[in-house]
Amino acid sequence: MIIEFGHYALVLAFALTLVQSIIPFWGGITGNERLMAVASPVSVMLFILVLISFIVLTMAYLSSDFSVLNVVQNSHSAKPFLYKFTGVWGNHEGSMLLWVLILVFFGALVGFFGGNLPADLRALTLAVQGWVTAGFILFLLATSNPFQRVVNPPLEGADLNPILQDIGLAIHPPLLYVGYVGFSITFSFAVAALILGRTDAAWARWVRPWTLLAWCFLTLGIAMGSYWAYYELGWGGWWFWDPVENASFMPWLAGTALLHSAIVMEKREALKVWTILLAIFTFSLSLLGTFLVRSGVLTSVHAFATDPARGVFILGLLCIFIGGSLALYAWRAPMLKQGGLFAPISREGGLVLNNLFLTAACAAVFVGTLYPLVLDAITGETISVGAPFFNLTFGPLMIPLLMAVPFGPILSWKRGDLLAACQRLYVALGIALAMTLFTFWLWGMEKVLAPLGVGLGVWVMAGAVSEILTRVKLFEIGLKRGISRLWGLPGSAWGTAVAHFGVGVTVLGIVTASAFQEEHIQTMRPGDSVELSGYQVTFDGAAPRRGPNYTEEVGHFTIRKGGVVVSELDPSKRVYTARQMPTTEAGIYTTGFSQVYLSLGESRGDGAVDVRVYFKPMITLIWIGCVIMSIGAVFSMADRRLRVGAPKPSRKRTAAAAPAPAE
Amino acid sequence: MMFWILIAALTAAATLAVLVPLSRNRQPAGAAASKADEAVYREQLETVDRDLKRGLIEPEAAEAARTEIARRLLSASERQTQTVEKSERSLQNKIAIGLAIVFLPAATFGLYIFLGSPDQPDQPLSARLEGPAQGQSVDVLVARVERHLAENPEDGQGWAVIAPVYMTIGQPESSARAYANALRIVGPNADWLTDMGEALTIANQGLVTADARKAFDQAVSLQPEAVKPRFFLALALGQEGRTDEAVAAWEQLLEGEDETQAWVGAARAQLAELQGTAPPVANRPGPTEEDIAVTSDMTAEDRQTMIQGMVSGLAERLSAEGGSVDEWNQLMRAYMVLGEKQKAETALNDALAAYAENPDDLSLIKDAADQLGLTGS
């Protein structure tokens, strides 16, 4: 009964999204405020309904109710509790339900905290969000219903893909989805603004917290996915330019451009055309990612579904939403009034440059991801576009952009002075040059590019610090007043500096981990040792072990530095019994920002195993940098200008808390 | 009943979420909209002032920014949202109310009846395993014993109980494993050893493997007079190509045996094959591995019935009076075991004709025929 209740709630949610799609939209374009008022309560009700069905599906997983087909196909009664829970979204149907849940969650947030928005904009935004939601719930009900029942329930399920049986599944998809789907709300805002002809500075201001929120989660989600792949796949790599990774990276690039472009629109009412287009593109790329992952076009861990009907359905949705919004854009964009003018060397100019490079980089990733697929579809020829392509296209685009990053926030609006900016940055430049020379001195000329890369990362970090310091004029007014001025800086200034600092940290991690890593792949017998980067890794032997739903071969290693034991690692190779599928669990020893990484390969018999041993200097900076970037987004969300504009004083507090519930 | 009350309540709540805001009076949208715009621009003005006071921007830049923002403020207050006529508005409201009261429940209910299974209860695994044993399927009962054994893996009698059950549900590997556990815990037992060997043999398509041989050898050493292990050991010798030893073993086995025993026929057939004189009864080179797999998981009486009773008696009865689907399937199976494919095909055609009116039964018959490799032509 409970399961059918959840099913009914989902069907009811579908019918209600149709009502949401029609009534507020009609009210918004005709100015009927009663009809517009329907949007907010219905958006909250929609969230409650989808939440009910999500909870019900979760209960079915937790109680191993094998009368639900989805549970049979993806769960197993012997699975640990956590993976029964995370297994809810570790499959196609359940993850689509999570997707829809986040769609309506963002709708409900706008409905609940959108008191400062004009009624017509809010009504239309929620109506557009309703169209998107209706499309996806229909997709669920028509092609991938998670509540489909089994008449003669079996006693055991097929278990969850073992690679997904990891704490990573509890974190990575929800974060990524909040990011991905969060951009739906900026999309809805953009479509609503085009319909209403209301594309002004105030619009950019209203969209800003939603963009920041989505961007923050997308950054964390991508970083988490990268770390997960790093320790679970056992190859020692952290980014593979895999189409599925690219599918999440493209919206990130477009979203980052959107974030910057919206600043110009808010401050100067310029770049409207850009900003609206980027809002549409960002969500379109999210949808494209969904299509690539769900349609069976790609084969990967993420490719849950290989049913062509689903692919066709999503392709249809994709065409309707992207085509529809772009057609609307083509019709309305020429009517947009151009806003403030600015000189090429100015804050606006810097942000335009940033947009150009980010969109070009996004285009490079787009081509590299889709070209092999299109070629395969048309000629049947299979080519693989890998790291070399992206290193030659994406890399060169990033270098000038990163060199320019510290200049942007220092230039003034409208008309900037490049020479003055350079003077302000000479300390940062000095530090970066010093670090470059130091790295050359350490490593000699054998790796020419790496010290330059280190210098680039340090340049971005030092630039961010010096931007904050010059803002408060620390060197002119003394420490004490400087610190009090630090407190007084607006959140957005802090956000900029922190996020840019994070970019520098990530760049530094990428350069050091790829250029200076040490790698050994060899067969080891018990007692054998490997020397790398001052560490001695000794293989003590391997033994079988039994987990709740797997058996594993565990290798025991001792890591010594200068003869002193610093750590013991137990990397393993598992075989999950239900699916007879092997996985690897890497052994990782973290020291400072660096890591020693061990991964087991084939067993050679008589106790010998193939082992991959890596030393990865400063690799954790890659992910720490991403976390710092998202902290920057949180600072920006805390900016006081994002809290104003609530019509009633009593609402002021709730509006300020708008981003809080999702944190 | 409870279910229908719950979904009615949920539907009512959704309908109210639409109806309540429709019924309230609102201030005109245009006024509120420009208020929201103005709030943003006023705050922008304040920010400019604050930045100027802190010295973050130059006075000229601040002045320029103020002018720009003031222009936006003006255009925001000029904005007029078009509003509809009152009469048209009440029509709009009526349509919206209609959508909420009629469309929402009707569409939901219709779609749910189409998609859902309102009568199907929840079946959490724990409830299925803990419920009364009566009326449960064999699978559920097996799962319960398995669960018990997973928690008490040293319960030797438990393993001995479930081992023959695995045989009847066609899982000889599991059966062999269960016997092995029982033997490990309780100690050697000739019957269990024999049955384990038989399970291993069936699991290997009738081939007596080394493990199975070891089990039979052990059983014979415990009970030298037992027929069954010796039967399989003789079979093993034949499979290994040690013809002379096999002939000796069969002859020793058949010596002084009662001819009415069921296994004797099969033993004689084996012997005859080894000696190169195929008996006239079974018009074929001898029992294939599949035949052994099929027949040896039945008791001796079963096989007797099958050969004598079923083939002649059942065929006559079915053609005269008709019979159940299972009986027809049994007949086809029996013919296939005897190697009389032509007769099996005839039986299949008869069965298909008898159930031509009933698609469910037809598909059952066809499935069985597929498994046996019959085409029905």
Side-chain angles (χ1 to χ4, degrees):
Chain A
M1 182 187 90
I2 294 171
I3 287 164
E4 290 303 315
F5 185 64
H7 193 176
Y8 185 84
L10 189 62
V11 175
L12 182 58
F14 174 65
L16 197 59
T17 53
L18 295 180
V19 173
Q20 177 82 322
S21 306
I22 299 164
I23 296 181
F25 177 74
W26 197 19
I29 54 171
T30 55
N32 183 334
E33 57 278 355
R34 283 195 192 201
L35 263 53
M36 289 188 240
V38 169
S40 295
V42 169
S43 69
V44 175
M45 189 67 207
L46 274 174
F47 174 63
I48 293 170
L49 290 175
V50 179
L51 186 65
I52 288 175
S53 64
F54 190 80
I55 289 173
V56 166
L57 186 65
T58 309
M59 283 163 63
Y61 267 86
L62 294 184
S63 66
S64 294
D65 190 330
F66 294 121
S67 66
V68 179
L69 184 62
N70 190 241
V71 180
V72 177
Q73 287 169 343
N74 300 292
S75 196
H76 191 280
S77 63
K79 211 163 55 167
F81 177 84
L82 176 70
Y83 304 142
K84 278 186 188 168
F85 180 65
T86 59
V88 175
W89 58 79
N91 62 82
H92 168 72
E93 289 84 356
S95 64
M96 270 335 278
L97 189 60
L98 179 66
W99 172 281
V100 170
L101 180 68
I102 295 171
L103 265 180
V104 293
F105 172 65
F106 271 93
L109 282 183
V110 171
F112 203 78
F113 297 113
N116 60 341
L117 301 174
D120 54 349
L121 182 65
R122 185 178 53 201
L124 248 66
T125 302
L126 288 175
V128 175
Q129 189 79 358
W131 302 344
V132 178
T133 313
F136 276 96
I137 300 187
L138 185 63
F139 173 64
L140 262 183
L141 292 176
T143 70
S144 1
N145 194 335
F147 294 103
Q148 197 166 328
R149 304 297 293 271
V150 182
V151 179
N152 292 312
L155 274 153
E156 207 42 273
D159 207 355
L160 175 68
N161 185 341
I163 290 180
L164 302 179
Q165 296 196 21
D166 185 274
I167 181 72
L169 183 63
I171 305 168
H172 164 63
L175 286 179
L176 196 67
Y177 278 17
V178 172
Y180 249 14
V181 183
F183 281 114
S184 67
I185 208 79
T186 54
F187 171 84
S188 299
F189 265 106
V191 171
L194 283 174
I195 294 171
L196 288 172
R198 174 195 274 282
T199 46
D200 47 22
W203 178 87
R205 154 56 199 90
W206 289 317
V207 173
R208 186 163 178 78
W210 306 107
T211 320
L212 281 169
L213 185 65
W215 185 86
C216 176
F217 278 92
L218 189 58
T219 308
L220 287 175
I222 293 175
M224 181 60 217
S226 155
Y227 190 67
W228 188 9
Y230 167 73
Y231 74 73
E232 180 73 27
L233 295 181
W235 306 335
W238 49 272
W239 190 262
F240 304 96
W241 293 109
D242 173 86
V244 175
E245 287 176 321
N246 294 347
S248 67
F249 193 45
M250 288 189 281
W252 187 86
L253 289 169
T256 311
L258 168 65
L259 208 58
H260 289 88
S261 181
I263 301 175
V264 181
M265 182 162 168
E266 179 181 348
K267 286 280 185 192
R268 299 293 323 283
E269 270 204 11
L271 300 193
K272 287 179 187 174
V273 179
W274 259 102
T275 309
I276 299 272
L277 191 61
L278 282 172
I280 291 174
F281 271 160
T282 305
F283 185 58
S284 300
L285 288 168
S286 297
L287 289 177
L288 180 75
T290 312
F291 167 69
L292 288 180
V293 175
R294 311 279 169 169
S295 60
V297 175
L298 301 174
T299 321
S300 95
V301 185
H302 300 78
F304 304 125
T306 44
D307 181 355
R310 292 172 180 166
V312 171
F313 199 110
I314 293 206
L315 194 61
L317 280 181
L318 209 69
C319 292
I320 293 171
F321 289 127
I322 301 179
S325 56
L326 288 181
L328 182 69
Y329 176 81
W331 173 46
R332 286 292 211 171
M335 300 177 201
L336 298 184
K337 253 196 318 198
Q338 233 357 298
L341 300 171
F342 54 86
I345 305 280
S346 62
R347 181 85 67 88
E348 295 94 321
L351 290 164
V352 168
L353 187 80
N354 166 73
N355 279 0
L356 286 175
F357 276 105
L358 282 176
T359 30
C362 186
V365 177
F366 186 84
V367 170
T369 310
L370 288 194
Y371 178 69
L373 298 176
V374 173
L375 194 71
D376 184 28
I378 294 174
T379 65
E381 193 183 335
T382 328
I383 58 161
S384 92
V385 173
F389 169 84
F390 294 101
N391 291 345
L392 282 175
T393 53
F394 185 80
L397 282 168
M398 282 298 112
I399 291 167
L401 178 60
L402 290 169
M403 279 166 36
V405 162
F407 287 101
I410 283 179
L411 291 171
S412 52
W413 293 102
K414 262 184 160 173
R415 198 171 296 107
D417 185 344
L418 196 58
L419 203 65
C422 286
Q423 282 170 352
R424 285 166 151 193
L425 286 170
Y426 71 89
V427 179
L429 191 64
I431 294 172
L433 281 177
M435 275 310 293
T436 312
L437 292 175
F438 178 68
T439 323
F440 264 122
W441 177 73
L442 266 185
W443 289 87
M445 295 303 285
E446 61 181 293
K447 287 166 177 153
V448 181
L449 285 177
L452 296 175
V454 170
L456 190 61
V458 173
W459 159 245
V460 175
M461 287 159 66
V465 175
S466 74
E467 189 235 322
I468 282 286
L469 295 184
T470 45
R471 264 187 185 243
V472 298
K473 300 184 175 151
L474 193 69
F475 301 114
E476 296 159 36
I477 57 170
L479 197 64
K480 205 172 166 194
R481 272 186 64 204
I483 287 173
S484 79
R485 279 173 64 104
L486 273 181
W487 279 117
L489 276 185
S492 61
W494 274 110
T496 307
V498 171
H500 286 176
F501 186 81
V503 173
V505 171
T506 297
V507 170
L508 189 61
I510 292 172
V511 172
T512 51
S514 12
F516 304 123
Q517 81 161 352
E518 207 182 324
E519 175 180 355
H520 292 277
I521 301 174
Q522 63 186 77
T523 309
M524 293 177 88
R525 289 167 187 289
D528 285 359
S529 291
V530 179
E531 291 281 347
L532 84 169
S533 303
Y535 291 91
Q536 187 186 24
V537 178
T538 311
F539 177 48
D540 302 325
R545 199 159 66 187
R546 241 191 133 67
N549 53 346
Y550 57 83
T551 55
E552 61 182 348
E553 183 81 10
V554 187
H556 188 80
F557 293 81
T558 310
I559 298 178
R560 294 184 177 82
K561 184 168 191 173
V564 183
V565 176
V566 291
S567 178
E568 291 178 22
L569 294 180
D570 295 309
S572 67
K573 273 174 50 128
R574 289 182 183 167
V575 176
Y576 282 77
T577 37
R579 293 198 179 194
Q580 283 298 312
M581 199 169 148
T583 69
T584 59
E585 302 291 315
I588 297 175
Y589 164 60
T590 308
T591 161
F593 293 126
S594 309
Q595 289 186 331
V596 175
Y597 182 107
L598 296 178
S599 166
L600 290 187
E602 291 300 309
S603 292
R604 295 281 173 195
D606 64 13
V609 280
D610 289 354
V611 185
R612 291 160 177 263
V613 188
Y614 301 89
F615 180 73
K616 295 185 170 282
M618 315 250 261
I619 189 160
T620 53
L621 288 185
I622 296 174
W623 305 293
I624 293 173
C626 294
V627 173
I628 296 176
M629 282 186 237
S630 45
I631 292 173
V634 174
F635 270 108
S636 271
M637 278 187 270
D639 190 297
R640 64 191 303 274
R641 80 173 189 278
L642 298 189
R643 305 175 208 158
V644 299
K648 288 178 207 145
S650 63
R651 288 240 181 128
K652 237 174 196 163
R653 269 199 7 235
T654 51
E663 282 167 23
Chain B
M1 194 59 211
M2 190 62 198
F3 173 69
W4 300 107
I5 295 170
L6 275 175
I7 65 167
L10 198 66
T11 317
T15 310
L16 283 177
V18 182
L19 288 183
V20 170
L22 275 177
S23 63
R24 286 216 192 114
N25 266 324
R26 302 269 157 190
Q27 59 170 324
S34 65
K35 230 187 229 170
D37 283 355
E38 283 172 39
V40 171
Y41 298 134
R42 282 190 205 293
E43 154 66 14
Q44 284 192 336
L45 281 175
E46 284 168 29
T47 311
V48 169
D49 289 343
R50 220 172 21 244
D51 286 356
L52 182 65
K53 218 189 284 171
R54 285 226 191 82
L56 291 177
I57 49 173
E58 303 301 316
E60 310 93 78
E63 199 43 53
R66 263 199 223 109
T67 323
E68 238 183 66
I69 297 165
R71 214 175 293 140
R72 283 177 219 153
L73 200 52
L74 266 178
S75 74
S77 51
E78 276 166 15
R79 182 199 295 275
Q80 290 287 329
T81 314
Q82 73 220 36
T83 45
V84 288
E85 291 294 314
K86 208 140 198 178
S87 57
E88 195 188 324
R89 177 166 294 195
S90 76
L91 178 67
Q92 273 191 341
N93 294 349
K94 272 179 197 149
I95 293 174
I97 289 169
L99 271 174
I101 293 179
V102 181
F103 169 77
L104 186 63
T108 308
F109 193 74
L111 194 56
Y112 174 73
I113 290 299
F114 177 67
L115 291 171
S117 330
D119 301 330
Q120 196 169 348
D122 298 341
Q123 287 175 290
L125 193 61
S126 54
R128 287 165 70 196
L129 293 177
E130 278 154 23
Q134 268 181 334
Q136 297 278 20
S137 71
V138 177
D139 288 347
V140 173
L141 297 176
V142 169
R144 289 167 81 152
V145 179
E146 277 174 344
R147 230 148 244 260
H148 165 79
L149 288 172
E151 281 160 24
N152 310 289
E154 295 304 301
D155 179 2
Q157 288 301 333
W159 288 111
V161 166
I162 198 165
V165 181
Y166 278 131
M167 282 300 279
T168 58
I169 60 174
Q171 297 182 10
E173 295 94 345
S174 305
S175 175
R177 242 191 334 268
Y179 277 123
N181 281 328
L183 287 163
R184 177 175 56 77
I185 297 157
V186 181
N189 174 315
D191 288 341
W192 294 352
L193 282 164
T194 309
D195 289 342
M196 178 168 85
E198 187 183 12
L200 286 168
T201 306
I202 290 165
N204 287 288
Q205 281 83 42
L207 196 69
V208 183
T209 60
D211 285 345
R213 269 197 71 154
K214 225 167 92 190
F216 292 130
D217 280 335
Q218 239 185 313
V220 173
S221 72
L222 289 171
Q223 246 181 49
E225 293 311 307
V227 171
K228 200 167 165 188
R230 290 194 291 147
F231 180 98
F232 278 99
L233 285 172
L235 198 62
L237 289 170
Q239 286 171 350
E240 285 166 24
R242 292 151 72 178
T243 315
D244 294 344
E245 290 169 65
V247 169
W250 286 120
E251 280 172 344
Q252 196 200 346
L253 194 60
L254 286 166
E255 208 170 285
E257 274 304 331
D258 180 0
E259 287 292 324
T260 59
Q261 285 286 324
W263 58 270
V264 170
R268 283 206 189 288
Q270 284 288 332
L271 185 59
E273 192 197 339
L274 289 169
Q275 290 168 331
T277 54
V281 183
N283 192 12
R284 53 179 180 153
T288 62
E289 288 170 1
E290 286 87 324
D291 290 337
I292 292 173
V294 171
T295 54
S296 56
D297 64 342
M298 301 178 177
T299 63
E301 284 83 356
D302 280 344
R303 201 162 58 221
Q304 193 79 351
T305 317
M306 183 183 84
I307 294 166
Q308 295 176 347
M310 273 173 65
V311 179
S312 50
L314 185 65
E316 277 173 28
R317 186 166 60 79
L318 287 181
S319 61
E321 315 160 16
S324 74
V325 174
D326 284 343
E327 284 172 325
W328 281 107
N329 290 348
Q330 234 172 348
L331 181 64
M332 292 190 290
R333 201 164 118 105
Y335 276 132
M336 286 307 284
V337 169
L338 290 176
E340 294 179 314
K341 193 168 183 207
Q342 205 49 52
K343 286 190 178 173
E345 294 279 9
T346 317
L348 172 60
N349 287 334
D350 290 349
L352 291 177
Y355 282 93
E357 311 284 325
N358 197 328
D360 286 350
D361 292 338
L362 265 187
S363 69
L364 284 177
I365 293 169
K366 280 178 183 154
D367 286 349
D370 281 346
Q371 278 176 11
L372 293 168
L374 294 175
T375 52
S377 56

